[in-house]
Amino acid sequence: MTSPATKLPSITRDEFGEFFAALDAALDAARNNAPNEAPKEKQKRYPFSWQEEVLDHICEHGVWPERINAPTGSGKSSVVDIHLFANALAAVGAAPRVPRRLCVTVGRRALVDSQATRADKILGCLEDALADGSGEPDILRRVAEALQSFQTRNDEKGSKPFETGHIRGELSNRNLPVTDISACAIIAATPDMYGSRALFRGYGSTKAARPRETALLAMDTVMVLDEAHMNRQLLHTTQRIAELQKREANLGVPTLQVVETTATPSTEDSDSTTLGVDIEALDSPNDEELRKRVHSHKELVLRPIDKWDGKPGNAATVNAAVDAIKDFLAHREAGEGSDEAHTVGCIVNHVRTAISIKEKLTKDKVLGKDEVELLVGRMRPYDLKKLQKKHSKLFTTEGDESVKVVVATQTLEVGIDVDFADLVTELAPASSLAQRFGRVNRLGRRKNSKVVVIGPTNGDSVKKDAPPYKAVDLSNAYGWLEALNDAENPSVNPAAMVKNPPVQSSPERLLYQRPEWSDLLE
């Protein structure tokens, strides 16, 4: 703990780029280098313009924007970096008071785990910076000292710069592991875990712990709802909680702030403050990398089949997917060598379909069993750790050369940082397809990536629901794909999807529920 007599370090808004680059370098060194190995040379990565604009908005207004529109691969995970730096500025008096806790919420367990892991690694980097007392303190150490000043605890080991939380189903400890209400914190959660706690009904919590956990997550907190189109009910609920809080007396700490982030923004009119990526204004030198991602090569190829019905294990779908994968593998083998991994992704709608595709690939001796990975179901922590131990770089943009094909269901649809060379996917709602397309050529480094979409011969033939999807959403997605395919150069890169946005899926319910003032009086 930094005592009141201790002078806080000097930090200015202009140092955000330096902090961002230093943290990225520290994370990269921790990820890629052995303890006694010299760090690899790497060009510094500075924040994109939209990330700078979000920080500017927070510093100017003391609140987060209500919406962040950013395509896949544009660095939405940087909300954590922004949150930490904004709080460090507030600690030294260089910015207004902002929420101490950031809760990143998304409806995919694999992504929740990834967010929690990244938060722990950032914490480790800042603790290492604190431990290094040699020379003048660099920006990481100064930020860590500023964040540490929030802590009220003072033990022999010293307090951490910030705390971390990880709450989702099937964890042995579902309690919110945040012990100091004054501390800066990063929390990763699933919608059910966050929403239940925001309403005094925390899943896995004791009744005695619920009021405290509600206070932690509904006050002095910014809740970033990633891929908000998948969780409209939680968005409406939390926005209503934030609205009702403003009717109460000002307690001197920020009330709940809700940020909707998505790669597939709604076309509905809204008065919300919206920031994000403007693909027509990527002129800054720092945006060069983002410009490559937005205009990356992702050629669209429609593969209609007569017997597609959207049902699990459909033989026609399985055969078409295997044939497309064979074509990709043959093309890669015939092409020039490359240092990059050329893993082919295959994302389908049902577990049975995915299993059948893997079995056929190995049975036909297209690939060996160790060259195909199957990712389905809820991905328990044990399963994920086992897979990461076997293929440490599979869930990175570097890729794993030993894995030729990854066959998966919706598990890989959102947020996992993979970079497939090519993709085979089954027809799904447009917003889901947009997420799947984001797993291909994420960094824009490849010049010949293709996306094959397997579906019916025409959209009108989709007349029955194909659970978990509705017929109307599949039919609308087919029409959207045809519109993209009619372009001079059919592509599914972010730039193409900004010009022709994916059709929004049907609402899950006719009327979204929300807390009312009368509920607070009970």
Side-chain angles (χ1 to χ4, degrees):
M1 171 179 171
T2 303
S3 66
T6 302
K7 184 179 179 180
L8 288 172
S10 172
I11 303 173
T12 65
R13 159 65 185 87
D14 294 338
E15 292 181 288
F16 177 57
E18 183 185 347
F19 167 75
F20 192 96
L23 183 58
D24 178 69
L27 289 171
D28 190 65
R31 180 170 55 247
N32 294 326
N33 296 296
N36 297 322
E37 185 178 332
K40 298 178 181 179
E41 289 293 329
K42 179 187 175 184
Q43 184 177 2
K44 287 187 176 182
R45 187 170 72 88
Y46 291 97
F48 299 136
S49 294
W50 76 264
Q51 295 163 337
E52 297 269 14
E53 290 170 2
V54 171
L55 178 62
D56 285 337
H57 180 88
I58 297 170
C59 291
E60 180 178 353
H61 302 285
V63 297
W64 284 68
E66 288 94 344
R67 181 181 295 165
I68 296 176
N69 290 343
T72 299
S74 58
K76 285 184 290 181
S77 61
S78 66
V79 293
V80 171
D81 311 48
I82 295 170
H83 169 74
L84 294 175
F85 194 78
N87 268 279
L89 289 176
V92 300
R97 174 75 157 82
V98 293
R100 295 276 175 85
R101 288 175 291 280
L102 172 76
C103 186
V104 183
T105 308
V106 64
R108 289 287 185 271
R109 290 182 174 184
L111 182 53
V112 171
D113 292 343
S114 176
Q115 294 280 12
T117 299
R118 185 172 185 269
D120 287 335
K121 289 181 178 178
I122 291 175
L123 177 59
C125 291
L126 294 189
E127 287 181 321
D128 289 343
L130 279 176
D132 183 8
S134 60
E136 289 294 321
D138 63 7
I139 185 61
L140 291 184
R141 179 177 165 186
R142 285 183 282 135
V143 167
E145 289 176 350
L147 296 176
Q148 193 180 40
S149 70
F150 290 138
Q151 301 271 12
T152 58
R153 292 180 298 124
N154 188 12
D155 51 36
E156 294 180 358
K157 297 181 179 179
S159 57
K160 298 178 180 179
F162 65 92
E163 296 193 347
T164 60
H166 186 195
I167 45 176
R168 72 158 178 83
E170 295 189 0
L171 290 180
S172 58
N173 180 8
R174 297 183 186 180
N175 293 322
L176 186 61
V178 175
T179 56
D180 190 340
I181 200 168
S182 67
C184 184
I186 306 295
I187 303 162
T190 53
D192 285 349
M193 287 293 178
Y194 180 88
S196 63
R197 282 162 174 77
L199 297 172
F200 292 90
R201 294 290 186 272
Y203 293 157
S205 300
T206 63
K207 288 186 177 181
R210 288 175 180 175
R212 175 182 175 275
E213 293 193 340
T214 299
L216 281 168
L217 293 184
M219 287 292 293
D220 208 4
T221 297
V222 54
M223 195 276 285
V224 177
L225 183 57
D226 198 9
E227 303 309 334
H229 66 279
M230 299 192 307
N231 297 285
R232 305 305 298 183
Q233 177 60 74
L234 180 60
L235 181 64
H236 281 264
T237 298
T238 51
Q239 287 176 336
R240 180 59 172 171
I241 291 173
E243 179 185 339
L244 291 174
Q245 286 178 333
K246 290 181 173 61
R247 300 186 184 183
E248 293 289 350
N250 186 352
L251 300 179
V253 296
T255 54
L256 178 65
Q257 296 176 19
V258 180
V259 181
E260 170 189 3
T261 75
T262 181
T264 53
S266 170
T267 56
E268 299 174 1
D269 292 334
S270 174
D271 295 329
S272 301
T273 302
T274 301
L275 296 177
V277 178
D278 182 356
I279 65 169
E280 303 297 334
L282 299 177
D283 302 324
S284 167
N286 289 350
D287 288 335
E288 181 179 353
E289 182 67 26
L290 180 56
R291 188 163 54 248
K292 287 168 53 180
R293 300 179 189 184
V294 168
H295 297 282
S296 57
H297 187 280
K298 301 184 186 185
E299 181 183 347
L300 173 63
V301 179
L302 298 183
R303 187 70 60 87
I305 54 177
D306 293 330
K307 296 182 179 180
W308 186 89
D309 58 10
K311 294 182 179 180
N314 177 267
T317 300
V318 172
N319 292 334
V322 171
D323 289 342
I325 291 171
K326 288 180 179 178
D327 291 342
F328 283 140
L329 294 175
H331 175 73
R332 294 299 176 191
E333 290 177 1
E336 296 181 359
S338 172
D339 293 335
E340 295 182 357
H342 283 138
T343 303
V344 175
C346 178
I347 304 179
V348 291
N349 301 341
H350 301 96
V351 173
R352 192 188 309 170
T353 307
I355 293 174
S356 298
I357 291 172
K358 179 183 179 181
E359 289 178 345
K360 186 170 179 59
L361 285 171
T362 54
K363 184 178 180 180
D364 294 352
K365 297 184 179 180
V366 177
L367 295 169
K369 290 184 178 181
D370 292 336
E371 295 178 310
V372 185
E373 285 296 336
L374 180 69
L375 302 178
V376 297
R378 298 184 176 184
M379 292 188 70
R380 298 172 300 174
Y382 169 80
D383 298 325
L384 186 59
K385 287 181 180 179
K386 183 178 179 182
L387 181 61
Q388 289 175 332
K389 184 177 181 180
K390 182 179 179 182
H391 301 292
S392 60
K393 294 186 177 181
L394 182 58
F395 293 129
T396 69
T397 53
E398 295 179 42
D400 191 313
E401 294 181 2
S402 65
V403 181
K404 303 299 183 184
V405 178
V406 172
V407 184
T409 53
Q410 293 87 342
T411 298
L412 282 187
E413 196 170 283
V414 177
I416 301 299
D417 202 17
V418 294
D419 187 15
F420 294 133
D422 302 289
L423 178 71
V424 180
T425 178
E426 189 177 2
L427 179 68
S431 57
S432 296
L433 288 175
Q435 297 298 330
R436 297 179 187 187
F437 298 159
R439 307 307 117 200
V440 185
N441 199 12
R442 285 173 64 82
L443 303 183
R445 295 172 179 169
R446 299 183 175 89
K447 304 299 182 183
N448 56 353
S449 293
K450 293 184 179 181
V451 175
V452 173
V453 181
I454 299 170
T457 53
N458 61 78
D460 294 335
S461 65
V462 185
K463 298 179 179 179
K464 295 183 179 181
D465 292 348
Y469 304 126
K470 298 178 181 178
V472 63
D473 293 331
L474 295 172
S475 180
N476 288 340
Y478 191 94
W480 174 63
L481 289 172
E482 284 189 318
L484 289 170
N485 196 48
D486 287 340
E488 183 177 350
N489 297 306
S491 176
V492 291
N493 63 21
M497 288 190 285
V498 167
K499 295 178 181 177
N500 193 343
V503 183
Q504 292 294 308
S505 299
S506 305
E508 296 180 359
R509 55 181 67 184
L510 295 176
L511 181 65
Y512 291 111
Q513 297 176 311
R514 68 179 195 177
E516 299 295 346
W517 184 252
S518 58
D519 296 324
L520 303 181
L521 303 178
E522 293 181 356

